[in-house]
């Protein structure tokens, strides 16, 4: 049923009120659903940063690495490696090294302690029970999946951990 | 994700701020209005983007904004109350040849601006005006006295 709205300020006649129903075209239904899906997915954390902790032990070494598994282009993240000498003897020439294929996905890398050679960080000698922490700050640069091995040598057998990070554009 | 929340906050804030400014601000862009409209994006860019330069972030932000715009449009159409909150009601500035001072004051419209609209409609005296209305888009519509009379007659005759 149509009826005239109240005229504001005794003004000219107003348009009639009609029953309002939302009607969308098919392409609008599909398009807006897809468009609305992006913020919903984002809200659910699908595009957010995520981290993972992996651990490996062998010989006299116990290694734990916490690294980003998903981050977006140009965002800064940190890879943290905790190396512990769980043996009873001093370990000489302990080294943490990263696969260049993996590290090529990042830029602006700074490590504490610093790199000596490409993606290699020497920890020198470690006393029994001693723990060292290596921090590598990286900025995501290359898109999509980056995988590689992080290895820690110094014990009888090098410990290897697989790192995989998805860099969203 | 934080981007979604930031876009929602900025959108609601800007909508509320623009709604409070009144419709007069949208009719014509005075230098002041232009400065405001140019400054708003500059001010909110950092608030939304932070240091995130990723395409993912941009896409999510744009999708959030467009979804909000579309949802606002749907709700505004479907529910009268939402429409009343979001859109402006036209204001009568001249009623049967007389300025409505209260509305001029509320809408911050100078009599000179009403006369500008009169001149553009080919009129030169208030007495020639039946209605001058500040429309919801900020423009002033002039309905001449004679024309309004003719239309009223047509309405009465059911034309």
């Amino acid at each position: 049923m149509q009826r005239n709205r109240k005229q504001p300020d005794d003004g000219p006649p107003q348009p009639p009120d009609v029953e309002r129903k939302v009607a969308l075209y098919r392409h609008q239904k599909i398009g807006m659903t897809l468009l609305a899906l992006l913020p919903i997915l984002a809200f659910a954390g699908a595009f957010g940063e995520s981290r993972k902790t992996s651990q490996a032990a062998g010989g006299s070494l116990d290694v734990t690495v916490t690294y980003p598994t998903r981050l977006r282009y140009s965002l800064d993240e940190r890879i943290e490696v905790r190396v512990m000498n769980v043996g009873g003897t001093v370990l000489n020439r302990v080294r943490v090294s990263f696969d260049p294929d993996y590290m090529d996905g990042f830029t602006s890398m700074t490590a504490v302690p610093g790199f000596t050679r490409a993606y290699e960080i020497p920890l020198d000698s470690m006393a029994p029970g001693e723990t060292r922490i290596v921090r590598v700050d990286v900025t995501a640069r290359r898109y999509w999946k980056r995988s590689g091995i992080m290895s820690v040598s110094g014990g009888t057998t090098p410990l290897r951990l697989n790192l995989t990070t998805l860099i969203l554009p | 994700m934080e981007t979604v929340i930031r876009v929602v906050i900025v959108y609601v804030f800007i909508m509320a701020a623009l709604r409070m400014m009144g419709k007069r601000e949208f009719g014509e862009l005075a230098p002041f209005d232009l400065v405001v409209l140019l400054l708003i994006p500059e001010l909110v860019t950092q608030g939304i983007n932070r240091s995130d330069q990723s395409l993912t972030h941009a896409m999510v932000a744009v999708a959030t904004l467009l979804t909000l715009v579309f949802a606002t449009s749907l709700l505004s159409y479907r529910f009268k109350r939402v429409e009343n909150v979001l859109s402006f009601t036209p204001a009568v500035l001249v009623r049967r040849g007389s300025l409505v001072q209260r509305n001029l004051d509320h809408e911050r419209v100078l009599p000179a601006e009403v006369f500008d609209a009169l001149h553009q409609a080919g009129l030169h005296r208030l007495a020639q005006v039946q209605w001058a209305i500040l429309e919801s888009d900020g423009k002033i519509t002039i309905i001449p006295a004679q024309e309004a009379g003719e239309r009223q007659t047509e309405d009465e005759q059911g034309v």
Side-chain angles (χ1 to χ4, degrees):
Chain A
M1 188 183 130
Q2 294 188 357
R3 62 186 169 80
N4 282 335
R5 284 193 292 183
K6 188 185 170 190
Q7 295 176 15
D9 298 301
D10 187 24
Q14 296 298 300
D17 270 341
V18 292
E19 191 183 351
R20 301 174 181 206
K21 286 180 183 171
V22 173
L24 297 177
Y25 293 109
R26 191 164 173 267
H27 69 270
Q28 280 181 318
K29 284 180 187 170
I30 297 169
M32 287 316 298
T33 306
L34 291 176
L35 205 62
L37 212 57
L38 268 179
I40 291 167
L41 284 174
F43 212 78
F47 308 123
E49 296 110 288
S50 65
R51 294 175 65 79
K52 184 182 174 185
T53 299
S54 297
Q55 196 258 343
S60 305
L61 287 172
D62 186 295
V63 178
T64 305
V65 59
T66 304
Y67 66 101
T69 51
R70 186 177 58 224
L71 74 165
R72 298 188 300 281
Y73 174 80
S74 85
L75 288 188
D76 300 325
E77 260 293 357
R78 171 171 284 177
I79 301 168
E80 189 172 286
V81 186
R82 184 180 291 263
V83 182
M84 186 178 182
N85 179 0
V86 292
T89 57
V90 174
L91 296 175
N92 292 311
R93 299 184 66 178
V94 178
R95 286 172 187 278
V96 176
S97 55
F98 295 90
D99 196 334
D101 283 346
Y102 177 73
M103 296 305 270
D104 279 351
F106 304 101
T107 186
S108 308
M109 278 168 276
T110 50
V112 178
F115 292 113
T116 49
R117 288 195 294 175
Y119 310 127
E120 192 174 292
I121 299 160
L123 299 180
D124 298 327
S125 62
M126 287 181 68
E130 187 179 353
T131 299
R132 297 277 185 88
I133 293 172
V134 173
R135 293 191 177 99
V136 184
D137 290 319
V138 293
T139 304
R141 191 56 57 182
R142 294 201 177 154
Y143 305 153
W144 310 124
K145 203 171 179 180
R146 314 298 307 185
S147 292
I149 301 289
M150 185 203 80
S151 63
V152 180
S153 59
T156 48
T157 49
L159 290 179
R160 297 158 71 87
L161 285 150
N162 191 32
L163 308 181
T164 301
T165 301
L166 175 66
I167 299 174
L168 295 168
Chain B
M1 196 175 159
E2 209 178 324
T3 304
V4 177
I5 298 170
R6 283 170 179 264
V7 172
V8 171
I9 290 170
V10 170
Y11 178 77
V12 171
F13 175 77
I14 291 176
M15 280 283 286
L18 293 180
R19 180 71 181 80
M20 279 186 287
M21 281 174 70
K23 55 185 167 288
R24 189 71 198 116
E25 311 305 327
F26 301 103
E28 290 169 8
L29 284 182
F32 165 78
D33 305 322
L34 191 62
V35 169
V36 170
L37 289 179
L38 288 175
L39 273 180
I40 288 175
E42 288 295 323
L43 295 173
V44 302
T45 299
Q46 284 299 316
I48 289 177
N49 288 347
R50 294 160 294 155
S51 58
D52 197 335
Q53 303 165 12
S54 67
L55 186 64
T56 308
H57 166 81
M59 297 282 281
V60 168
V62 169
T64 305
L65 184 63
L66 293 181
T67 304
L68 284 173
V69 170
F70 194 73
T72 307
S73 160
L74 280 186
L75 292 172
S76 176
Y77 179 76
R78 179 66 185 82
F79 302 106
K80 183 101 174 67
R81 282 187 182 177
V82 178
E83 187 204 3
N84 290 340
V85 170
L86 295 179
S87 62
F88 301 104
T89 310
V92 175
L93 304 177
V94 177
R95 183 190 300 127
R96 296 183 195 93
S98 302
L99 288 168
V100 182
Q101 190 59 46
R102 185 168 165 270
N103 287 351
L104 291 175
D105 292 341
H106 272 138
E107 304 298 341
R108 297 179 301 284
V109 179
L110 294 169
E113 294 176 86
V114 177
F115 271 74
D116 280 349
L118 242 75
H119 298 157
Q120 284 170 23
L123 307 176
H124 57 96
R125 283 185 294 116
L126 276 177
Q128 296 173 291
V129 178
Q130 180 75 8
W131 308 107
I133 301 154
L134 181 62
E135 302 289 0
S136 51
D137 63 358
K139 293 190 171 67
I140 298 172
T141 303
I142 302 291
I143 300 173
Q146 192 183 356
E147 195 177 330
E150 286 169 3
R151 282 179 187 170
Q152 196 173 2
T153 311
E154 284 172 0
D155 287 345
E156 285 166 2
Q157 290 172 348
V159 177

